[in-house]
Amino acid sequence: MGILAIRADERVKNVYFTEETITVDLMDGRVISVPLTWYPRLLNATSEQREKWEVCGGGYGIHWEDIDEDLSTEGMLRGAPAPRASLANS
């Protein structure tokens, strides 16, 4: 019997929210769930704004036009919160 080669595929399949988290389903079956407090723009957005996401970056990113937010699956997997410096200057 041959060994089945399983390839990681970090492209976005679906995005959904709870009161406290953003969850991203990846094409390879993994699920990333991250606290919304890591992404203040998403935390402060309305549920309607959150739902208006689109896949970008060749499938590896998520973009919200209304709130000018972009996340990458790589950053979410690495556990990288949004930079705080941009908040201090606003």
Side-chain angles (χ1 to χ4, degrees), residues 16-27:
Y16 48 97
F17 295 88
T18 68
E19 292 286 317
E20 299 176 350
T21 63
I22 173 175
T23 302
V24 179
D25 293 340
L26 301 182
M27 291 293 194

Side-chain angles (χ1 to χ4, degrees), residues 12-86:
V12 176
K13 183 176 181 181
N14 193 21
V15 179
Y16 48 97
F17 295 88
T18 68
E19 292 286 317
E20 299 176 350
T21 63
I22 173 175
T23 302
V24 179
D25 293 340
L26 301 182
M27 291 293 194
D28 63 11
R30 285 182 290 171
V31 178
I32 314 169
S33 192
V34 181
L36 270 179
T37 54
W38 284 17
Y39 308 111
R41 287 183 182 160
L42 286 171
L43 181 67
N44 296 318
T46 66
S47 49
E48 290 79 17
Q49 288 172 319
R50 288 180 195 157
E51 294 304 318
K52 289 175 67 178
W53 58 273
E54 57 189 34
V55 176
C56 64
Y60 297 94
I62 312 157
H63 175 69
W64 288 265
E65 182 74 33
D66 291 358
I67 58 172
D68 190 31
E69 180 70 294
D70 295 280
L71 299 182
S72 71
T73 56
E74 179 187 2
M76 294 180 79
L77 284 166
R78 221 177 38 236
R84 294 284 178 209
S86 60

